[in-house]
């Protein structure tokens, strides 16, 4: 039962990253490449009717985490207190940037909200990458000092950074060079992902340029991924033991690299949606590879006093998890129907169906 | 430790109060918009469709505010109330996760279609998307109130040795006797807010001599819906929630009503008076004898327990706050019914649109349903203190153990600043939409 909900949760998380990821990416592209009003319009129209529903995946992930793994929810949300609240603030800025921009027709007003949307998207991508890094690196569960826990073994608290920015320091911070590396991977990969979405959903003049951007960024991404694999074993001495035990797990890294290498051919794709498929593969593979490498841990402990949090020691009681399956199955079908309708109505290029001009 | 809890509470109270300013309009207004759209389908009179379109603009803005302030709520259980989440997550996580899966997806998927899809979908389907948005927002209210009801009156659980609450009966969460009265009371109250907003804008247009035909429609709709909703808020639903409080939280009820000592031969109902905690009595009291006993038990002489019968450790922590919150809510409720009754009578005498004092009163009433709703929640929440889960888990035991007051104060100040900005933006943009008025036909 725990395993079922773990898979559900991870699936929902990946869906969230793939969906809201293109919104963040569109924001990053907007920040750096959209100079003309026409381009800005194209970008916001590409995500217009979708981003709100995409964000609900985050709320749903939070809800399912709360319900199925309450101890993990409590421990990680209070331990990562500051970055989470900052993420909330950024989400607010991104949303009002998108929603309020069109309310008043004034260049100054537009500039403010364009920047709010772009900068918030960039920082969100960075923070989500950093979050992934923190989970891989682990935390000092129980805030152990000199071999003694100062809190219950599943609670901790991390400041935003410590002075050394080192993932191996005695006192860890949320941001260190390792988590920052994953943060940058987050920004670059989502920028690529967002660019692919824009190409897919619009006839914008930007598209040719964006293909070049994707091509170039992909080299950066490849380099970053290689570096991260090289330094991974500093953080986790046996990063591949799960893969060696269960070789079928290699499917995940293979998917990652398929996505990554596939994107080098971005300039010769026949259909505009293909790039998006490849960047989705990359994200899917990247997340699943990461969580598979620490499985069954969900939050590793960096000390030897308190055990790591796993999906088994953080799960809710079995009766609750059992009844949850029933309503969840119904809800999942409904959600699939809504998404089908939504993407069916807004099928094809947004400018072809006249979305956004009213 | 103490002030750590204080900032956690301040932050929760501030953010939820602000959040709830928006959903209360969303839920009520979505019903009224669906009504306008339905009238249009029935009569094919364009005014109704334009009215629906106009309110959709306000709705979209309001909804966006509700969404951005709602997400912090979902996170804050974990960030600030980690111990509470760990212990009860297996139970309240159910209803909260259901809210995300059942209602937020429904709302957000169809909101886009509803706001931008009129031409794409045609009027009938457009009506349907509006109805689905309405359904989503009411389902959301239902599941939130189910969560809240469990905290007020826990059912279907078992407490393990390590203090964890585990669910033993899923159905009990929904057959909780606290749930339905509370839900309908709350929904009626949100319809009161929406009706007053619609009526007030109507009055504004008429007094201003602008868009008067819309003004009349808004005024009429707002006044009629508002009158029925206000009555339902009081009887049966207000009465039923109050009876639940008497039954399950008697000390809370005594504090709400300001009864310090049990009285022989029936309790009076207090209209005005200031609680004096030092001497355990009400100062400057104006009260009507025996009414409270009758309202509660349909018996003029029934005994209602005063606070003196309960141990101090179970007294609500903030008795004056609770007493005022309750009296402001009930007092405003009475005023709403009175004013709307006059308005409805004038409407039927075909004099409403020219009765200046009613128009001005309706205009100035605009903020008061918001105040009444907020005071209602303060009644519920202050009444529950010192408990997070009534009688089982104290608020002090629910806070996050590792988050220090310095960090909580930092984020609280951040929220205050950010929400101040959001509030200003909302007022400015809503003002702009209202000032511009419903667009007249341009196609
Ligand atoms: C327009 C707003 C409004 C108005 C006029 C009233 N209420 Fe109310 N009341 C609410 C809006 C509200 C609310 C905000 O919606 C609450 C908070 C929790 C809930 O479910 O509804 C609430 C809660 C609430 C509670 C607390 C329940 C608890 O402890 O959980 C009681 C006892 C009453 N109400 C009783 C009344 C009575 C007897 C009224 C007589 C007129 C009344 N309310 C008018
Ligand atoms: C179903 C939804 C709600 C849940 C689950 C909930 C839960 C909680 C929790 C966990 C706390 C913190 C503990 C405490 O200080 O009491 C709290 C406090 C509070 N909540 Fe609620 N709440 C809900 C709805 C609301 C709403 C809609 C409002 C107001 C509009 C509100 C007003 C407050 C206030 C004012 C406090 C602080 C009470 C105090 O400081 O004594 N709540 N609530
Ligand atoms: C602590 C309790 C609460 C939490 C955790 C919470 C959570 C949320 C979240 C995450 C959203 C955004 C949903 C989206 O993206 O579509 C939202 C919006 C909403 N909430 Fe709350 N909420 C709380 C209290 C309440 C209460 C007490 C009510 C009403 C009874 C309510 C009714 C709504 C409605 C109708 C919406 C739709 C958006 C809107 O109306 O503006 N919420 N809430």
């Amino acid at each position: 039962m725990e395993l079922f909900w773990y898979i559900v949760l991870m699936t929902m998380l990946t869906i969230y990253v793939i969906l809201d990821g293109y919104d963040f990416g569109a924001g990053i592209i907007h920040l750096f490449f959209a100079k003309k009003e026409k381009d800005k319009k194209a970008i916001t129209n590409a995500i217009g009717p979708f981003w709100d529903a995409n964000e609900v995946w985050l709320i749903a992930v939070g809800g399912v985490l709360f319900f199925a793994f309450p101890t993990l929810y409590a421990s990680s949300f209070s331990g990562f207190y500051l970055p989470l609240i900052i993420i909330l603030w950024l989400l607010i800025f991104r949303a009002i940037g998108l929603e309020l921009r069109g309310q008043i027709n004034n260049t100054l007003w537009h500039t403010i909200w364009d920047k709010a949307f772009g900068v918030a998207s960039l920082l969100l991508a960075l923070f989500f990458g950093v979050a992934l890094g923190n989970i891989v690196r682990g935390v000092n569960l129980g805030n152990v000092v000199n071999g003694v826990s100062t809190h219950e073994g599943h609670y901790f608290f991390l400041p935003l950074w410590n002075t050394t920015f080192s993932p191996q320091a005695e006192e860890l911070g949320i941001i260190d060079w390792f988590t920052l590396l994953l943060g940058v991977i987050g920004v670059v990969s989502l920028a690529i992902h967002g660019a692919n979405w824009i190409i897919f959903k619009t006839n914008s003049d930007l598209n040719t340029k964006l293909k070049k951007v994707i091509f170039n960024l992909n080299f950066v991404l490849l380099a970053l991924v290689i570096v991260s694999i090289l330094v991974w074993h500093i953080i986790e001495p046996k990063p591949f033991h799960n893969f060696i035990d269960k070789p079928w797990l290699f499917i995940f890294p293979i998917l990652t690299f398929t996505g990554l290498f596939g994107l080098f051919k971005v300039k010769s794709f026949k259909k505009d949606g293909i790039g998006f498929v490849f960047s989705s593969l990359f994200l899917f593979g990247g997340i699943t590879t990461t969580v598979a490498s620490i499985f069954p841990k969900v939050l590793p402990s960096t000390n030897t006093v308190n055990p790591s949090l796993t999906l088994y020691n953080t799960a809710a009681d079995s009766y609750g998890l059992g009844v949850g399956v029933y309503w969840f199955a119904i809800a999942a079908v409904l959600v699939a129907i809504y998404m089908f309708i939504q993407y069916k109505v807004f099928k094809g290029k947004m400018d072809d169906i006249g979305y956004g001009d009213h | 430790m103490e002030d750590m809890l204080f900032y956690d509470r301040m932050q929760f109270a501030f953010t939820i109060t602000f959040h709830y300013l928006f959903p209360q309009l969303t839920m009520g207004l979505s019903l009224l918009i669906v009504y306008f759209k339905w009238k249009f389908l029935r009569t094919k009179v364009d005014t109704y469709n334009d009215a629906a379109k106009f309110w959709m603009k306000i709705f979209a803005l309001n909804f966006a505010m509700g969404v951005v302030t709602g997400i912090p709520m979902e996170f804050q259980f974990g960030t600030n109330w980690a111990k509470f989440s760990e212990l009860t997550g297996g139970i309240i996580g159910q209803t909260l996760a259901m809210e995300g899966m059942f209602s937020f997806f429904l709302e957000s998927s169809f909101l886009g279609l509803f706001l931008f899809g009129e031409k794409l979908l045609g009027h009938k389907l457009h009506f349907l998307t509006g109805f689905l948005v309405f359904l989503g927002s009411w389902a959301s209210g239902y599941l939130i109130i189910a969560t809240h009801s469990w905290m007020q009156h826990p059912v279907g659980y078992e407490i393990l040795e390590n203090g964890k609450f585990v669910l033993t009966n899923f159905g009990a969460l929904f057959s909780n006797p606290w749930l339905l009265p509370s839900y309908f009371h709350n929904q009626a109250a949100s319809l009161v807010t929406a009706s007053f907003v619609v009526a007030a804008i109507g009055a504004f247009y008429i007094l201003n001599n602008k868009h008067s035909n819309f003004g009349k429609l808004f005024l009429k709709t707002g006044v009629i819906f508002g009158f029925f909703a206000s009555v339902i808020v009081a009887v049966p639903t207000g009465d039923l929630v109050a009876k639940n409080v008497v039954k399950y939280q008697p000390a809370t009820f005594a504090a709400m009503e300001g009864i310090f000592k049990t009285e022989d031969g029936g309790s009076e109902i207090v209209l005005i008076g200031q609680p004096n905690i030092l001497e355990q009595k009400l100062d400057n009291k104006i009260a009507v004898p025996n009414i409270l006993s009758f309202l509660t038990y349909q018996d003029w002489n029934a005994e209602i327990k005063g606070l003196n019968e309960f141990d101090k450790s179970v007294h609500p922590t903030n008795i004056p706050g609770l007493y005022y919150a309750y009296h402001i809510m009930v007092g405003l409720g009475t005023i709403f019914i009175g004013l709307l009754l006059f308005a409805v009578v004038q409407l039927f005498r075909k004099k409403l649109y020219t009765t200046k004092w009613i128009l001005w009163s309706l205009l100035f009433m605009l903020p008061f349903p918001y105040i009444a709703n907020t005071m209602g929640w303060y009644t519920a929440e202050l009444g529950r203190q010192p408990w997070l889960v009534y009688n089982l888990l104290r608020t002090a035991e629910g806070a996050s153990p590792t988050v220090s007051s310095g960090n909580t104060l930092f984020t609280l100040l951040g929220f205050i600043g950010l929400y101040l900005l959001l509030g200003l933006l909302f007022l400015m943009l809503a003002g702009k939409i209202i000032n511009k008025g419903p667009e007249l036909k341009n196609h």
Side-chain angles (χ1 to χ4, degrees):
Chain A
M1 203 67 325
E2 291 95 341
L3 193 60
F4 169 80
W5 283 105
Y6 175 79
I7 293 170
V8 166
L9 190 66
M10 289 306 154
T11 311
M12 289 172 67
L13 183 70
T14 345
I15 295 178
Y16 169 68
V17 173
I18 289 174
L19 292 179
D20 216 14
Y22 72 66
D23 301 328
F24 295 153
I28 301 171
I29 298 292
H30 190 286
L31 185 64
F32 291 112
F33 300 103
K35 300 281 178 270
K36 282 183 260 149
E37 182 64 23
K38 209 168 62 176
D39 302 336
K40 293 179 181 170
K41 245 219 163 85
I43 294 176
T44 42
N45 282 348
I47 61 172
F50 305 113
W51 71 268
D52 188 21
N54 293 345
E55 197 169 281
V56 173
W57 283 94
L58 178 66
I59 301 166
V61 168
V64 170
L65 176 64
F66 192 179
F67 141 77
F69 302 98
T71 308
L72 177 61
Y73 171 78
S75 162
S76 58
F77 275 43
S78 62
F80 298 127
Y81 184 81
L82 286 174
L84 275 173
I85 302 272
I86 293 173
I87 284 178
L88 291 174
W89 294 343
L90 291 171
L91 284 171
I92 293 178
F93 272 113
R94 179 186 70 146
I96 56 174
L98 279 165
E99 291 281 320
L100 301 192
R101 181 189 197 271
Q103 301 266 358
I104 290 179
N105 213 350
N106 169 300
T107 355
L108 217 56
W109 176 265
H110 286 178
T111 311
I112 295 173
W113 296 119
D114 282 344
K115 289 284 176 276
F117 166 54
V119 173
S121 301
L122 177 86
L123 290 175
L124 280 163
L126 185 75
F127 264 100
F128 280 117
V130 167
L132 196 65
N134 272 276
I135 289 169
V136 175
R137 183 207 52 202
V139 298
N140 183 3
L141 282 173
N143 277 4
V144 172
V145 184
N146 298 328
V148 183
S149 306
T150 51
H151 288 289
E152 273 182 275
H154 47 282
Y155 284 106
F156 67 97
F157 185 85
L158 282 191
L160 282 176
W161 56 76
N162 68 18
T163 42
T164 62
F165 288 95
S166 160
Q168 289 160 302
E170 180 90 354
E171 280 179 39
L172 296 169
I174 306 243
I175 300 174
D176 58 38
W177 59 257
F178 175 72
T179 59
L180 206 57
L181 175 64
L182 290 205
V184 176
I185 291 183
V187 174
V188 175
S189 57
L190 291 186
I192 293 176
H193 191 52
N196 276 323
W197 180 259
I198 298 167
I199 296 173
F200 176 41
K201 290 304 275 186
T202 68
N203 299 314
S204 157
D205 307 342
L206 268 182
N207 285 1
T208 352
K209 187 171 162 198
L210 285 181
K211 286 186 185 168
K212 264 190 226 133
V213 170
I214 293 172
F215 186 74
N216 295 337
L217 278 181
N218 217 33
F219 281 107
V220 180
L221 184 59
L222 181 63
L224 288 169
V225 169
I226 292 172
V227 173
S228 77
I229 295 174
L230 291 179
V231 297
W232 204 277
H233 74 275
I234 304 181
I235 311 302
E236 163 85 48
K238 283 186 290 176
F240 304 117
H241 72 273
N242 269 344
F243 295 95
I244 293 161
D245 283 356
K246 303 186 191 70
W248 65 268
L249 288 177
F250 273 111
I251 182 93
F252 296 134
I254 291 172
L255 287 178
T256 318
F257 283 102
T258 315
L260 192 58
F261 287 114
L263 279 176
F264 282 117
K265 309 191 90 166
V266 61
K267 291 179 189 161
S268 53
F269 289 149
K270 295 260 160 16
K271 279 202 191 141
D272 286 343
I274 298 180
F276 182 73
V277 173
F278 279 112
S279 53
S280 302
L281 272 184
F282 173 79
L283 292 173
F284 175 81
I287 295 171
T288 43
T289 305
T290 317
V291 297
S293 82
I294 60 169
F295 182 89
K297 287 182 265 184
V298 283
L299 190 60
S301 171
T302 56
N303 60 55
T304 46
V305 182
N306 295 306
S308 300
L309 298 185
T310 68
L311 62 128
Y312 301 106
N313 66 16
T314 55
D317 186 65
S318 58
Y319 170 78
L321 293 181
V323 281
V325 174
Y326 294 100
W327 62 253
F328 187 82
I330 301 172
V333 172
L334 289 174
V335 171
I337 296 175
Y338 306 153
M339 282 184 73
F340 178 75
I341 296 177
Q342 202 191 11
Y343 282 88
K344 177 127 189 147
V345 173
F346 294 112
K347 196 172 67 183
K349 305 270 183 185
M350 301 307 278
D351 11 29
D352 290 344
I353 58 177
Y355 175 81
D357 31 75
H358 46 148
Chain B
M1 184 67 209
E2 261 307 299
D3 60 338
M4 185 167 135
L5 181 64
F6 176 76
Y7 293 128
D8 280 325
R9 293 178 63 181
M10 291 303 287
Q11 178 163 314
F12 200 93
F14 175 71
T15 50
I16 184 75
T17 306
F18 195 78
H19 171 58
Y20 195 59
L21 293 177
F22 302 101
Q24 63 178 296
L25 183 63
T26 299
M27 292 185 295
L29 194 56
S30 59
L31 181 67
L32 293 178
I33 294 175
V34 167
Y35 165 77
F36 284 134
K37 193 78 202 184
W38 175 76
K39 278 294 252 189
F40 169 72
L41 286 180
R42 293 280 309 264
T43 61
K44 300 280 182 256
V45 176
D46 280 332
T47 317
Y48 287 114
N49 200 33
D50 292 343
K53 273 190 181 160
F54 169 74
W55 284 107
M56 271 161 65
K57 282 187 205 150
I58 305 262
F59 181 86
L61 182 62
N62 190 69
F63 192 92
M65 294 289 165
V67 170
V68 297
T69 56
I71 298 170
M73 296 322 305
E74 189 102 11
F75 278 54
Q76 272 184 82
F77 289 113
T79 51
N80 296 71
W81 303 96
K83 203 67 207 167
F84 167 63
S85 307
E86 182 197 343
L87 296 178
T88 64
I91 299 178
I92 63 166
Q94 293 267 358
T95 37
L96 284 173
M98 285 174 81
E99 184 185 17
M101 293 299 296
F102 282 106
S103 38
F104 292 153
F105 274 114
L106 181 61
E107 275 179 297
S108 62
S109 307
F110 290 101
L111 182 72
L113 289 174
F114 181 51
L115 294 179
F116 303 112
E118 185 178 324
K119 277 190 220 143
L120 218 57
L121 298 169
H123 288 299
K124 285 223 176 83
L125 280 177
H126 186 239
F127 168 80
L128 185 69
T129 56
F131 183 77
L132 290 173
V133 171
F134 154 76
L135 203 69
S137 74
W138 279 53
S140 159
Y142 180 74
L143 289 161
I144 272 288
I145 303 262
T147 315
H148 182 255
S149 299
W150 187 83
M151 294 170 64
Q152 296 285 0
H153 180 58
V155 289
Y157 66 91
E158 194 182 325
I159 303 179
L160 303 182
E161 269 164 39
N162 58 9
K164 279 203 179 141
F165 290 67
V166 297
L167 187 65
T168 55
N169 182 351
F170 180 72
L173 292 179
F174 299 96
S175 57
N176 188 342
W178 199 282
L179 172 56
L180 281 185
S182 208
Y183 177 60
F184 286 112
H185 185 66
N186 189 67
Q187 298 313 95
S190 91
L191 189 54
V192 171
T193 298
S195 307
F196 265 101
V197 169
V198 171
I201 306 305
F204 173 71
Y205 286 153
I206 294 176
L207 288 170
N208 232 339
N209 263 327
K210 263 169 63 178
H211 317 292
S212 321
N213 58 330
F214 285 103
K216 285 179 186 163
L217 174 63
F218 295 168
L219 199 58
K220 182 172 144 193
T221 314
V223 159
I224 294 180
F225 274 91
F227 176 70
F228 284 111
S230 302
V231 172
I232 294 173
V233 162
V235 275
T237 63
D239 180 48
L240 286 172
V241 270
K243 282 180 175 146
N244 268 334
V245 181
V246 184
K247 194 158 158 201
Y248 300 112
Q249 303 182 354
T252 304
F253 188 72
M256 269 157 53
E257 297 283 0
I259 308 170
F260 286 96
K261 293 189 188 61
T262 309
E263 289 161 41
D264 294 333
S267 288
E268 57 197 13
I269 195 159
V270 178
L271 302 180
I272 294 180
Q274 291 83 28
N276 180 336
I277 302 297
L278 296 178
E279 295 172 30
Q280 296 281 309
K281 67 180 189 61
L282 281 180
D283 293 336
N284 314 318
K285 184 167 71 174
I286 299 179
V288 191
N290 296 58
I291 300 279
L292 188 61
S293 291
F294 180 74
L295 287 179
T296 323
Y297 292 111
Q298 279 74 46
D299 170 359
W300 297 103
N301 295 317
E303 179 189 280
I304 292 183
K305 286 202 168 83
L307 278 169
N308 60 335
E309 311 235 359
F310 302 94
D311 191 78
K312 276 252 159 56
S313 69
V314 302
H315 281 194
T317 22
N318 184 348
I319 294 173
L322 175 57
Y323 168 90
Y324 286 125
Y326 182 64
H327 278 77
I328 292 173
M329 167 179 65
V330 176
L332 285 175
T334 317
I335 294 173
F336 295 160
I337 297 178
L339 175 65
L340 290 173
L341 184 62
F342 273 116
V344 170
V345 170
Q346 292 299 77
L347 180 69
F348 280 100
R349 296 173 60 206
K350 304 219 181 322
K351 285 188 183 154
L352 177 60
Y353 308 129
T354 49
T355 315
K356 281 270 159 64
W357 72 268
I358 291 189
L359 297 182
W360 281 105
S361 311
L362 285 172
L363 185 57
F364 280 110
M365 271 296 171
L366 184 72
F368 287 94
Y370 286 98
I371 295 175
N373 266 297
T374 308
M375 288 303 117
W377 279 102
Y378 276 69
T379 309
E381 302 289 348
L382 291 173
R384 197 184 62 223
Q385 297 306 316
W387 307 101
L388 251 180
V389 180
Y390 195 73
N391 246 336
L392 296 175
L393 181 70
R394 284 188 183 262
T395 308
E397 298 164 330
S400 298
T402 58
V403 182
S404 72
S405 57
N407 284 312
T408 333
L409 181 56
F410 172 74
T411 55
L412 171 59
L413 292 172
F415 272 115
I416 292 177
L418 191 52
Y419 283 7
L420 219 58
L421 174 72
L422 286 186
L424 284 174
L425 286 171
F426 175 79
L427 289 178
M428 181 178 111
L429 295 173
K432 187 174 160 264
I433 298 172
I434 292 167
N435 206 21
K436 185 159 170 244
E439 268 166 80
L440 298 171
K441 269 258 169 283
N442 53 5
H443 43 86

